[in-house]
Amino acid sequence: MTQQGVRWTTDQVLAMAPDAASRKAGSKLGAAGPWSATGSSDEGAVWGLCKGSGSRPYQTIVDTGAGAGGGAGPAYKCSCPSRKFPCKHALGLLLLWAGGDAQLPAGGTPPDWAEQWLEGRRKRAESKEAAAAAPGSAAAPADPEAVRRRAERRAQRISAGVTELEQRLADLLRGGLAQAEQAGYGMWDEAAARMVDAQAPGLAARVRELGAIPGSGPGWPVRLLEECALLHLLDQGWLHRDELPDDLAATVRARVGLSPQATAAPARDQWLVLSQHDAADGHLTTRRIWLYGTESERTALLLSYGAAGRAPSLALPVGLALDAAVSGHPGAGSLRAELGGQFGVPSPSPMRPQGVDVTAALAAYGRALTDDPWLVSWPVTLADVIPAQDPDGGWQLADSDGKSALPVTAHAAASPGLWRLAALSGGAPVTVFGECGHTGFRPLSTWTGAPDDAAEVISLC
Amino acid sequence: MTTTTTTSTAGTGTATTTWDDLVTAALLGTERRSSTTPRALLDEAAVQTVRRRAGLRPAPAAAPPEPAAADPRPPLPAAARHRLAMLLTDRPGSGTTRRGSTPDLLELLPQWLAAANGHGYAPPPELLPALLDAARGRTDLRPQALTFAGPRALWLARLNPDWKFALRATPGAGTTLPDPGDTEQVRALWEEGLFAERVALLAAVRGHDPAAARALLAGTWGTERAEDRLMFLDSLRTGLGDDDEPFLEQALTDRSRNVRATAAELLSALPRSALAGRMADRALSCVALDRTTHTITVEAPHECDAAMERDGVVAKPPAGRGERSWWLGQLLEAAPLDRWGARLGGRTPEEIAALPVSDDWQGELHAAWCRAAVRQRDIGWSRALLGPPTAPGAVSLAERAKLLAPLPAEERAEWVAEFIAAHGLSEAFQLLGVCGTPWARPLGRAVVDALDIARDAGSYPWSFSGVMGLAERCLDPEEAVRLEGLTAAVEEPEGAAPGAGGYWTEAFQRLVGTLRLRRAMRDELAR
C-alpha cells in the first residue's frame, strides 16, 4: 500500500485522551525531548522509544489506521505499566506525529519489537475474517436449546418486574405525584434495584432517573408525569410485545435493556466521525460517537462503555473519515450501530451532513418519535444558525432570518464548548451538528468555515 | 421552543382532557377524582407526552448579537495553531508538583504570544475561550494575550462576565479615545470623562505631545482630588523634560504630602533643575576629600530644615535608622552625579568609587549613589559602581541588578556571564532577570557551564530550580545541540547527594526538551 497516511491534528489526538490528566501528561510528552528511534509507516503505524524515569525507555506503538488490524478504531501498545488507555506515552507519540514530518519522519519500517505486535494484529485479523467467512462458524452457540431456555427465563423475570413496576406507578398516581416530593430518592432506588434483579437494566435506569425529578426545580410535576407515562408506555409495550410490529418490538426490547439478537448486514462507507463525548453516570462512563456515512448519507451512533473510572475503549479521531463497515442494530429508526472492520487510514473529508433550518430540525425529531416514542433527541445538522444569548441568560441557535430559534439545553449552555461555538461564530451564521430533543438542542461539533475551503471540524463537547 | 396548545381530541378515545388538567389530576391523585383510574391517566399522559414532543415548535428568535469586528490579521499557520492548542491544554493546578523531564508548557505561553504578536497573526477563534481563561488566571499574560486575541475576544468578553477583565485591561475597549491631536475632543473628554478614561487620555496625549499633556493637567490641577493628582503627576514620568520644571516646582507646595514627594522625585531626575541644584549644594557640603590621606570624609547633616522638607526630604526616619544618615541618603540620592567629579578632585566616577571612605560611611554613600545612578539613568556612574564582576562588590545584589538595567544589552550579558564564571549561580538569579532574552551566547554558555559544575559538585538540582526555569525560557534554542551531552546519565561523583545524578539528568532533559520545543514554536510561526 503506497497510500500516504494523513496525520491527525492535535485536537483529534487530544480527543483520544481518557481524561484531563492524561491530556495534560500527553501534551507534555508531545515534544521531541524524551523520544528516540521514532518513525511511522505508510500503513499508519507510529512507534518510538520514550525515556521515562527508569533505565529502560518505554516502547510505544500506535496503529492509527488499523490498516493491518481490521479491529475497531486505532490500537495502542506501550510497555509502560499505566492502566489508562491510551496511555500518556501513546498520546505524546501521536502529538509528535501530528506535528508533521519534521518532528516524526514518515515512510519508515517498523523495528522488530513493533513489527512483532503489528504482525500479531494482522494474524488475529485474518483469523477473525476467516472465522466470519466460514459458514456456521464459532459464532453459533453450543446448545441453541439452552440459549432459548435462558432467554425465556429472562423474559419471564422481566415480565414479573414490569408487572410490579406497573403496580408502583398505579399506586403513585392513585396517591398523587405530590407524595413523590416527600418520598425522595429512597422509593425509586429500591424500585430500580428490583429492576436490576429482574435483569431489565433499561428500566432500572429510567426508574433511577425518576428519583431525581422532584428535586429538579420548577415544573417538576410535568416532567415527572411525562417520564412516568413513558415508563408506563414501555411497560405496556413489553407486556404486549408479541402484538407489536417487529421493528417496534425490537425497539421495546432494546429500551428495556436486552442486547440485540442480530445486527444488520455491515454497510461499508466513508464514515465521517462527527463527534465523540462521554457521559459519566455513577461508576459507568458512556461514550457516544456519531458517524456520518458520506456516501449513504446515513447517521450512526456507536456506544462504548468504561466501568469503574476507566475510559471507554473505543476512541475515534473527530473530523476524519474512516473507510469502514458499520452494522446497524434492529429496531425502527434505530441509529445504534457497531463498528466492524476498517480499511485503510482515516483521512480528512470535505463532506458534511446536509444542513437544515430550525423548523426542519424539530420536524425531524418529531418524525423519529413516531418510530421510537422514548427517543430523547435526534441527530441534526443545523445550517446557517447564529448562537445568541436569550433574555433569560440561556442560549439559543437562531435561523439567520431572525424569526425562529432552538434553545440550547441548559447543560450545554453552561459548558465551555458553547463559548467555543460563540467565538467561532462571532455573530455570523455557522453550521452546527448536535442532538435536537425535547429539552432543546445540544451542539456537539461545528465547522471552521464553508465546506470548500478546507474547513476543520471543531468539537464542542 | 413552545408546545402546541391544542387540546387533545384524539388518543385512546374517551378522554378530552387538556394536558394541564392531566398534570393537576396526577399531582392530586386519582383517589380524589373518581372520574379516572391511574391506568387511564397514564395512558392519556403517554399519548399527550409523545404528541407534545412531536409537535414542538421553534421559539421566537432573540435579538441577534452585534457581529464581531473583523480581524484583518492573517490566520496562524496550521502547525502554530496546533501548538497553541497544546500550550493551552496545560493548565495550572492539575498534576503533581514535581517537575519531571518534560517541559512546562504554560511557562512558554508568554513568549509564544510575544512571537505571534511580532508576526502579527490573528488568533484561531475556537481557542479564544481557552486563551481568555488562561489570561484570567495570570495577570502577567494579559497584555500579550489580549493583543493577540484581538477584536473577537473583546466581543466575547462582553458576553461573559468571567472575562470582564479584558474590557477593563484594554483602554478604550468600551469607548474609543479621541486622537491626541484633536484638541477640542481631548479637552471635552478630559473635563467630562471618568477617572480611568482620563488617565488613559493623559497617557496618550503625553506620548504624543508632552507639553500639551502638561497644559491639560495644569488647567484643572487646582480642582482635582489628592489621589487623582498623584496618579496624574505620575503619568508625567514618560517624556519628562526640563520644560516640566516650573509645573513640578509649583507642585512642591501641594497640600498632599505624597504629591510633594513625587514632584520632588521627578525634579531630582532632571539634573539641571533648581531643586537638583539645591540638593547638590546640600549634599556636596556633607562630603569632602581629605587631600592628605586621599580619603572621603562624610559629615551628615545635623538638622532637616523646612527648606529641605519642601524639597522632598522626609524628616522622620523609618524605625531603626539614625536620622542623620537618613537625611544624608536622601540628599545624595537627589543630587546630580555630574557634580561630584569637581568636588572630589577632578576624578572620574571609577576613581571616586575606588576611593576609601572614612568612618564606615562607605556602604551608606555607595548605596545612595547607586540609587542616584538608577534614577538619573547615568551609565558612567552605573558602570563605576558596579565594579568588575569578579570583585565582591560594595553594593548589594539587588542594587547591582538595578545598576545593570540601563547598560547596553551586550555589556549586561557579558558582565553577568563573568559574574557567574567567578561566583557560580547561587547569587545570579536576580542578575539574570535583567538580561535580555534570548540570552547572548557568552551568557548562555556561562550558565550552562555553571550548571554542569553544580552537578559535579553533587548537590540536588532543585537548589538551582529558579535558574533552571529561567534557562528553559531564556537560553537561545540553538544551544540545545551543545546541551545534548549533558542529558546522558552520569556516574554520581563521590560524596554526592543520593540520587542527585538521576534528577540532574532529568532536569537537563527538560531543559533540552524545552529548547527544542521553543525552536519548533519559533519555526512554526516564521512559516
Side-chain angles (χ1 to χ4, degrees):
Chain A
M1 193 155 70
T2 54
Q3 179 187 5
Q4 180 67 47
V6 177
R7 300 191 182 210
W8 299 354
T9 67
T10 312
D11 291 339
Q12 285 160 349
V13 174
L14 290 174
M16 299 289 178
D19 51 37
S22 303
R23 198 169 303 145
K24 185 180 156 86
S27 299
K28 294 197 165 202
L29 288 172
W35 292 97
S36 58
T38 53
S40 65
S41 73
D42 291 341
E43 285 82 29
V46 188
W47 59 85
L49 300 177
C50 184
K51 177 88 186 72
S53 49
S55 57
R56 278 173 63 94
Y58 295 124
Q59 299 174 333
T60 310
I61 172 160
V62 183
D63 189 354
T64 58
Y76 317 88
K77 166 110 177 98
C78 183
S79 59
C80 77
S82 167
R83 291 171 62 190
K84 298 262 179 76
F85 194 78
C87 67
K88 60 178 179 178
H89 305 102
L91 287 171
L93 183 64
L94 283 177
L95 285 172
L96 203 62
W97 175 67
D101 230 24
Q103 289 210 23
L104 203 151
T109 315
D112 284 348
W113 56 267
E115 186 52 41
Q116 274 175 14
W117 179 72
L118 291 169
E119 182 62 32
R121 276 174 62 73
R122 263 195 293 274
K123 284 224 179 86
R124 271 197 304 283
E126 277 160 19
S127 61
K128 207 162 127 193
E129 260 167 48
S137 58
D143 182 358
E145 182 57 21
V147 171
R148 198 188 57 76
R149 272 206 307 278
R150 266 204 303 281
E152 215 162 80
R153 266 206 304 280
R154 183 171 181 190
Q156 277 166 9
R157 226 175 274 143
I158 294 176
S159 294
V162 162
T163 313
E164 185 189 330
L165 193 55
E166 279 290 85
Q167 195 54 52
R168 279 175 188 264
L169 286 174
D171 289 347
L172 176 66
L173 266 296
R174 198 168 291 122
L177 296 181
Q179 69 189 5
E181 203 178 10
Q182 289 111 47
Y185 283 91
M187 174 170 89
W188 300 112
D189 278 353
E190 193 222 326
R194 300 282 298 146
M195 291 307 111
V196 171
D197 292 344
Q199 293 186 301
L203 290 177
R206 280 180 173 274
V207 172
R208 215 174 293 121
E209 276 169 26
L210 287 183
I213 294 177
S216 66
W220 68 266
V222 170
R223 289 192 290 278
L224 186 56
L225 179 59
E226 283 179 344
E227 292 310 318
C228 284
L230 288 175
L231 185 55
H232 165 71
L233 187 65
L234 185 53
D235 288 343
Q236 293 302 319
W238 173 263
L239 294 174
H240 299 96
R241 62 191 184 284
D242 297 338
E243 303 156 34
L244 297 178
D246 285 351
D247 274 347
L248 190 55
T251 303
V252 168
R253 270 196 291 273
R255 289 282 173 194
V256 165
L258 292 175
S259 28
Q261 287 137 340
T263 52
R268 185 170 167 180
D269 200 340
Q270 289 289 330
W271 292 96
L272 174 64
V273 184
L274 284 174
S275 73
Q276 167 175 318
H277 66 276
D278 293 352
D281 169 31
H283 41 263
L284 186 72
T285 305
T286 307
R287 175 168 292 170
R288 294 162 70 84
I289 302 176
W290 283 110
L291 300 179
Y292 173 71
T294 53
E295 281 150 36
S296 59
E297 299 188 14
R298 270 178 56 195
T299 308
L301 174 65
L302 305 179
L303 292 186
S304 179
Y305 299 97
R310 301 191 66 173
S313 58
L314 182 62
L316 296 176
V318 172
L320 291 190
L322 323 161
D323 181 1
V326 165
S327 29
H329 283 203
S334 167
L335 299 177
R336 268 294 299 280
E338 300 296 328
L339 185 60
Q342 271 178 262
F343 316 92
V345 182
S347 58
S349 165
M351 304 291 288
R352 61 173 80 170
Q354 180 71 42
V356 297
D357 68 7
V358 160
T359 312
L362 283 172
Y365 172 57
R367 263 197 312 282
L369 280 173
T370 59
D371 285 330
D372 179 356
W374 300 278
L375 204 58
V376 175
S377 61
W378 189 251
V380 167
T381 304
L382 291 173
D384 287 337
V385 285
I386 303 175
Q389 271 173 327
D390 62 34
D392 311 328
W395 282 83
Q396 55 168 233
L397 299 175
D399 278 340
S400 50
D401 65 10
K403 292 198 181 101
S404 316
L406 262 179
V408 172
T409 60
H411 177 262
S415 73
L418 196 88
W419 288 108
R420 282 205 290 281
L421 179 62
L424 267 165
S425 143
V430 283
T431 303
V432 186
F433 169 78
E435 294 168 345
C436 178
H438 63 93
T439 56
F441 187 85
R442 175 174 189 194
L444 294 175
S445 36
T446 186
W447 283 262
T448 51
D452 356 312
D453 48 46
E456 276 184 34
V457 180
I458 301 290
S459 172
L460 300 175
C461 40
Chain B
M1 256 177 338
T2 52
T3 307
T4 45
T5 49
T6 50
T7 52
S8 152
T9 50
T12 44
T14 54
T16 52
T17 35
T18 65
W19 173 251
D20 288 343
D21 290 343
L22 275 179
V23 174
T24 312
L27 206 52
L28 296 175
T30 54
E31 273 174 347
R32 292 173 216 185
R33 279 209 175 186
S34 50
S35 63
T36 183
T37 63
R39 172 79 186 267
L41 180 65
L42 283 170
D43 281 347
E44 177 64 16
V47 171
Q48 292 219 23
T49 297
V50 178
R51 178 186 294 145
R52 276 157 52 87
R53 290 184 179 182
L56 284 171
R57 288 273 160 272
E66 196 75 18
D71 195 333
R73 295 174 290 178
L76 275 179
R81 195 174 72 223
H82 298 152
R83 179 72 60 196
L84 177 62
M86 245 162 92
L87 296 181
L88 287 171
T89 49
D90 193 31
R91 305 300 292 280
S94 55
T96 56
T97 48
R98 193 175 87 86
R99 310 179 69 209
S101 58
T102 50
D104 216 340
L105 295 180
L106 201 65
E107 286 303 317
L108 298 180
L109 194 52
Q111 48 180 279
W112 189 95
L113 288 170
N117 285 334
H119 289 281
Y121 287 121
E126 70 273 16
L127 292 179
L128 284 177
L131 187 63
L132 283 168
D133 281 344
R136 184 184 181 214
R138 283 187 53 176
T139 30
D140 59 319
L141 271 180
R142 286 183 188 176
Q144 292 283 14
L146 291 175
T147 306
F148 177 63
R152 182 72 63 101
L154 294 181
W155 178 87
L156 267 181
R158 278 185 211 111
L159 301 177
N160 189 339
D162 283 355
W163 300 327
K164 278 265 159 63
F165 71 87
L167 302 176
R168 277 200 308 273
T170 317
T175 58
T176 41
L177 286 178
D179 174 26
D182 185 343
T183 332
E184 211 159 294
Q185 289 235 15
V186 164
R187 183 152 292 277
L189 184 62
W190 177 251
E191 277 163 10
E192 289 154 24
L194 301 170
F195 175 66
E197 287 169 336
R198 301 179 70 207
V199 170
L201 178 72
L202 191 62
V205 176
R206 181 76 177 173
H208 176 75
D209 177 2
R214 193 181 57 241
L216 204 60
L217 185 52
T220 57
W221 183 254
T223 60
E224 307 287 355
R225 298 183 310 150
E227 50 268 45
D228 295 0
R229 284 202 303 277
L230 187 62
M231 279 293 286
F232 292 142
L233 194 60
D234 211 56
S235 59
L236 294 188
R237 238 175 249 283
T238 31
L240 187 66
D242 290 340
D243 296 346
D244 295 321
E245 196 189 340
F247 179 74
L248 291 172
E249 190 71 37
Q250 178 208 328
L252 280 178
T253 58
D254 197 90
R255 292 187 300 280
S256 156
R257 198 171 59 134
N258 288 331
V259 172
R260 289 198 302 272
T262 306
E265 190 203 327
L266 290 172
L267 279 171
S268 68
L270 295 170
R272 285 184 296 279
S273 70
L275 177 130
R278 294 196 293 273
M279 293 302 261
D281 291 343
R282 294 184 187 116
L284 260 54
S285 72
C286 297
V287 178
L289 183 70
D290 184 331
R291 289 187 195 274
T292 53
T293 56
H294 295 287
T295 307
I296 295 178
T297 57
V298 176
E299 179 70 24
H302 291 274
E303 59 167 354
C304 178
D305 57 28
M308 275 165 76
E309 280 202 64
R310 182 181 175 276
D311 284 348
V313 177
V314 178
K316 196 173 154 44
R321 283 201 66 173
E323 53 185 13
R324 289 183 62 200
S325 75
W326 169 245
W327 296 330
L328 175 71
Q330 294 180 77
L331 296 180
L332 291 167
E333 195 179 331
L337 287 162
D338 54 13
R339 299 271 301 266
W340 292 107
R343 172 70 177 167
L344 300 173
R347 288 179 166 77
T348 65
E350 276 79 10
E351 287 163 347
I352 294 173
L355 281 174
V357 183
S358 65
D359 299 334
D360 297 333
W361 279 106
Q362 185 175 21
E364 203 78 48
L365 187 63
H366 281 216
W369 276 338
C370 281
R371 292 196 297 275
V374 170
R375 190 188 286 184
Q376 296 166 30
R377 301 187 71 81
D378 188 315
I379 294 185
W381 271 87
S382 293
R383 220 173 259 148
L385 290 164
L386 263 176
T390 44
V395 294
S396 72
L397 281 167
E399 277 161 334
R400 286 178 151 201
K402 281 191 199 149
L403 288 172
L404 273 170
L407 299 188
E410 203 176 318
E411 191 179 338
R412 247 181 297 160
E414 259 168 47
W415 196 94
V416 177
E418 279 180 52
F419 179 90
I420 289 171
H423 305 285
L425 285 171
S426 47
E427 296 185 316
F429 184 74
Q430 273 182 317
L431 301 176
L432 285 169
V434 296
C435 292
T437 56
W439 288 339
R441 181 160 294 185
L443 176 59
R445 299 227 162 131
V447 171
V448 172
D449 287 347
L451 284 171
D452 198 17
I453 291 168
R455 170 172 69 170
D456 289 346
S459 54
Y460 283 116
W462 36 87
S463 319
F464 301 92
S465 59
V467 174
M468 261 301 187
L470 272 182
E472 284 164 19
R473 272 169 279 149
C474 308
L475 261 182
D476 190 328
E478 303 303 333
E479 296 283 319
V481 189
R482 263 173 34 86
L483 282 164
E484 293 287 347
L486 295 173
T487 59
V490 288
E491 236 171 88
E492 290 190 12
E494 203 136 321
Y503 290 122
W504 274 105
T505 307
E506 203 173 83
F508 277 119
Q509 277 174 356
R510 188 177 60 235
L511 179 57
V512 172
T514 310
L515 294 182
R516 287 233 195 98
L517 194 63
R518 283 175 48 209
R519 187 170 46 194
M521 275 168 36
R522 197 186 60 193
D523 295 349
E524 286 159 2
L525 284 167
R527 230 167 265 168

